[in-house]
Amino acid sequence: ALPQVHRLRSVDNLFVVVQEFRDYRFKEAKEDALKDLEDLVKKLPWSDPLKVWELNNSLKKKKTKRKKHNLQSTASKEKLDGDGGQEGTDPRDAAGQEHCAPDAAGAEPAAGQDAAETQGTVARDGEAEGDPPAGSGGGTAASNDEKGDGGAKVLKFRVTCNRAGDKHSFTSNEAARDFGGAVQEHFQWKADMTNFDVEVLSSVSTRRRRPWKNLTVLTRVRRQLPGVRSNHVVWLEGLCDPQPTDIIIDPMCGTGAIPIEGAMEWPGCYHIAGDNNPQAVKRAANNICSLLKKTESKESSASLGIPLDIVQWDICNLPLRTGSVDIIVTDMPFGKRIGSKKKNWDLYPACLMEMGRVCTPGTGRAALLTQDKKCFAKALSRLGHIWRKQQTVWVNVGGLHAAVYLLKRTWESAEEKRSCW
């Protein structure tokens, strides 16, 4: 079933449950509770989860080998055709691959978890982080280049502890440290918080009206996906229920994650991506080129292309006909890394006005993601004659409490505005 899971674009991370304790009783004293967590490591059934990790690792290696084989075949063909080897290679390929396949290992904390939840270092106090001997955890092979005394490759790992619910006698860092130290001692793995092969997660949550907790130990299977946070992207666009022949735009596309994933998931629709930043447009174009080459290598030498175009434009003055767009899906600037919340007070109403102009009256819809909820609500109240709010979906984006606003275009005509407010 794992190869099928890899084909799901709405899945960002795969977790394998090692064991779940529904009524786990932590001792009141912090030292005793942490000691129980340490002792638990030797009792957990690690074999099956590590087999899943090993299978997943072999699948990733096969994909890498296929990519290298395709690149070598292309280079050989160009050399035979007299293109000059590397001189005939499109430099955009590497850039496109870089943006299209980021590391999707970073998990977002669930809403309601402690703000102090962290990804703790797993080495015990006083233990050196030198190369330990090869692990004995089910004979699992490692993917890093470091080797132990016996010549076998050594796995790198980290432990993360998440706590939710009532007050605990220990902190997340303390639990990660002690539990991770026991994992290191048990498997003889090497602790590494960034370049790790295996991540172990311990999740502690309080059962309502009971003094004991839920304790779940999981391992995360890391994946490589063709888009940035593609689980959000496919879900976000799916909220608008795209139909064949629909015209879908992302007027603030950034590097193109939403339209690229949308074009792959709904090939019967036509997607247009746009942004005012020339660098973002260039990166999005590189990502599209990379996707085209990927589909070409899968099918045949003649690619049919994908229903997607990229344009540099001004969100307040879109070069589109009035009422020509069926769906608008975009990640609006939060006012943190891009822009500012002060600028959003002018930008948001201008965006909604221009989006209302190009969107089809009566049937057009929009899914707009933002963390600046106060500003968006104010702008929407000023333009209630154009957009009617259907639903608000609360989401957690990298620890930020954000919202997706599902809007329906009314039948009223929108006054054209060719400049921002």
Side-chain angles (χ1 to χ4, degrees):
L2 195 58
Q4 284 75 19
V5 172
H6 271 258
R7 287 197 284 270
L8 295 174
R9 284 190 290 273
S10 59
V11 175
D12 194 13
N13 288 286
L14 172 64
F15 296 90
V16 183
V17 176
V18 179
Q19 192 166 353
E20 182 177 12
F21 303 89
R22 293 194 176 276
D23 297 321
Y24 190 87
R25 296 174 183 267
F26 284 99
K27 294 178 180 176
E28 293 185 5
K30 179 174 73 173
E31 292 76 11
D32 295 336
L34 293 174
K35 183 64 169 60
D36 285 348
L37 280 177
E38 288 185 44
D39 295 340
L40 185 64
V41 171
K42 296 179 181 179
K43 304 173 185 177
L44 292 173
W46 295 99
S47 179
D48 287 343
L50 289 176
K51 286 179 182 177
V52 175
W53 177 88
E54 198 169 35
L55 176 60
N56 182 76
N57 213 40
S58 65
L59 289 173
K60 288 167 66 176
K61 286 180 179 178
K62 287 178 182 178
K63 288 182 181 179
T64 305
K65 287 180 180 178
R66 282 199 297 267
K67 286 180 181 178
K68 287 182 178 179
H69 176 72
N70 291 334
L71 289 172
Q72 289 173 355
S73 299
T74 304
S76 300
K77 183 179 179 181
E78 289 175 348
K79 192 171 184 180
L80 289 171
D81 292 340
D83 290 339
Q86 293 182 352
E87 293 179 3
T89 304
D90 189 346
R92 295 178 297 179
D93 293 351
Q97 289 291 344
E98 181 182 350
H99 295 292
C100 277
D103 187 356
E108 297 172 3
Q113 290 181 350
D114 294 351
E117 291 174 4
T118 56
Q119 297 172 337
T121 306
V122 296
R124 289 184 183 219
D125 294 337
E127 285 188 356
E129 287 193 359
D131 291 347
S136 58
T140 308
S143 60
N144 56 296
D145 294 331
E146 299 187 13
K147 295 185 178 182
D149 296 338
K153 294 180 180 178
V154 179
L155 280 175
K156 293 181 180 180
F157 82 111
R158 79 173 182 188
V159 166
T160 302
C161 178
N162 295 329
R163 301 174 310 145
D166 296 340
K167 185 178 179 180
H168 302 85
S169 62
F170 52 85
T171 67
S172 296
N173 274 337
E174 290 171 337
R177 180 198 63 204
D178 290 11
F179 189 81
V183 170
Q184 185 179 39
E185 184 177 306
H186 182 62
F187 291 108
Q188 295 297 299
W189 291 342
K190 179 180 173 61
D192 193 318
M193 287 189 64
T194 53
N195 300 316
F196 51 90
D197 300 299
V198 178
E199 182 175 19
V200 180
L201 298 97
S202 61
S203 177
V204 181
S205 62
T206 304
R207 294 175 66 88
R208 291 184 179 179
R209 299 183 296 277
R210 293 187 182 182
W212 50 87
K213 326 281 186 184
N214 282 347
L215 172 65
T216 307
V217 181
L218 313 97
T219 56
R220 189 204 308 276
V221 176
R222 306 174 70 184
R223 298 186 58 209
Q224 294 290 341
L225 296 175
V228 180
R229 306 300 305 174
S230 62
N231 60 332
H232 287 170
V233 168
V234 175
W235 168 77
L236 186 64
E237 192 160 321
L239 291 173
C240 292
D241 189 24
Q243 300 298 314
T245 73
D246 277 351
I247 296 177
I248 305 173
I249 71 166
D250 180 356
M252 293 176 276
C253 70
T255 54
I258 291 176
I260 286 174
E261 289 288 342
M264 294 171 65
E265 184 71 17
W266 292 279
C269 302
Y270 176 58
H271 289 75
I272 304 176
D275 202 282
N276 68 335
N277 188 326
Q279 280 298 110
V281 172
K282 183 178 179 181
R283 290 179 180 178
N286 288 343
N287 289 342
I288 295 171
C289 290
S290 175
L291 179 61
L292 282 169
K293 291 184 178 296
K294 191 179 297 184
T295 56
E296 178 181 330
S297 62
K298 281 184 179 179
E299 304 298 334
S300 62
S301 57
S303 175
L304 298 176
I306 54 175
L308 170 61
D309 278 320
I310 176 73
V311 185
Q312 183 177 343
W313 60 27
D314 177 8
I315 178 60
C316 303
N317 189 11
L318 297 174
L320 299 171
R321 290 183 180 178
T322 299
S324 61
V325 174
D326 298 293
I327 296 175
I328 300 173
V329 183
T330 195
D331 179 0
M332 302 184 74
F334 288 10
K336 293 183 178 294
R337 288 186 303 171
I338 299 176
S340 67
K341 290 199 173 185
K342 184 178 179 180
K343 291 181 179 179
N344 284 349
W345 287 99
D346 292 326
L347 178 64
Y348 276 23
C351 290
L352 288 174
M353 189 70 190
E354 184 67 356
M355 290 178 190
R357 181 188 70 80
V358 301
C359 203
T360 307
T363 60
R365 54 255 191 227
L368 308 178
L369 170 66
T370 180
Q371 192 260 340
D372 197 348
K373 300 178 287 294
K374 183 179 179 180
C375 181
F376 187 91
K378 182 67 175 178
L380 189 60
S381 67
R382 295 170 59 182
L383 297 168
H385 62 291
I386 298 176
W387 292 108
R388 181 173 292 110
K389 185 174 72 172
Q390 301 281 69
Q391 188 181 357
T392 303
V393 182
W394 304 107
V395 294
N396 187 300
V397 181
L400 298 176
H401 186 56
V404 176
Y405 293 91
L406 300 179
L407 309 180
K408 183 72 178 292
R409 179 68 169 85
T410 66
W411 286 99
E412 292 193 28
S413 62
E415 178 185 355
E416 287 194 36
K417 288 205 170 187
R418 310 306 291 180
S419 61
C420 290
W421 295 6

